[in-house]
Amino acid sequence: QVRKLGYEFRFVELAQDISGRMPAYVVSRVMSALEGRGVKNGRVLLLGLTYKADIADDRETPARDVVRELRKVGLRAVGHDPHLDSFDVDGELLAMATDLGAALGDCDVAVVLQWHSQYEPAEIVARAPFVFDTRGRLAGPNVERL
């Protein structure tokens, strides 16, 4: 609407550009962190796939772009979201973990994409070998924040 009136909307356009680049940036940071730990072809557990916390709406979620980027670089991803039974990315279902504790122990990195109130910070930090936290909720020696 603002553009139709002839005004510049540079700030919003810049924010959209940054948001659009964030999934690739997250994946590159995860890859660098894994390589720094000597892990190749790591198993990635994506925590929180919905657009907003504590809801089941996965429309417009950046998690799909993160999965696409992970697929491009050959990393295997599994998802977990207490509000979703399945997660489709370009017609292909993402494998979904039903037992969070087991999935945390079976991954090389847990990537927090969306924070749901059902997640227990202490459990995630204690069980995952490494956590990449895009939400800034966790702390610990095995946690790296965006």
Side-chain angles (χ1 to χ4, degrees), residues 24-93:
Y25 177 69
V26 166
V27 171
S28 72
R29 290 272 308 268
V30 167
M31 284 182 56
S32 294
L34 286 173
E35 288 170 3
R37 288 168 172 72
V39 176
K40 294 184 181 192
N41 301 320
R43 295 164 306 201
V44 179
L45 175 63
L46 300 175
L47 299 175
L49 303 171
T50 61
Y51 181 70
K52 288 184 178 183
D54 296 327
I55 63 166
D57 187 357
D58 67 351
R59 296 173 297 166
E60 305 298 323
T61 178
R64 277 195 182 79
D65 291 326
V66 171
V67 172
R68 287 179 186 113
E69 292 296 324
L70 288 169
R71 288 176 179 169
K72 279 184 196 175
V73 298
L75 290 175
R76 295 168 288 152
V78 172
H80 180 274
D81 194 298
H83 301 281
L84 299 175
D85 293 326
S86 64
F87 190 71
D88 180 279
V89 180
D90 302 328
E92 185 179 337
L93 289 177

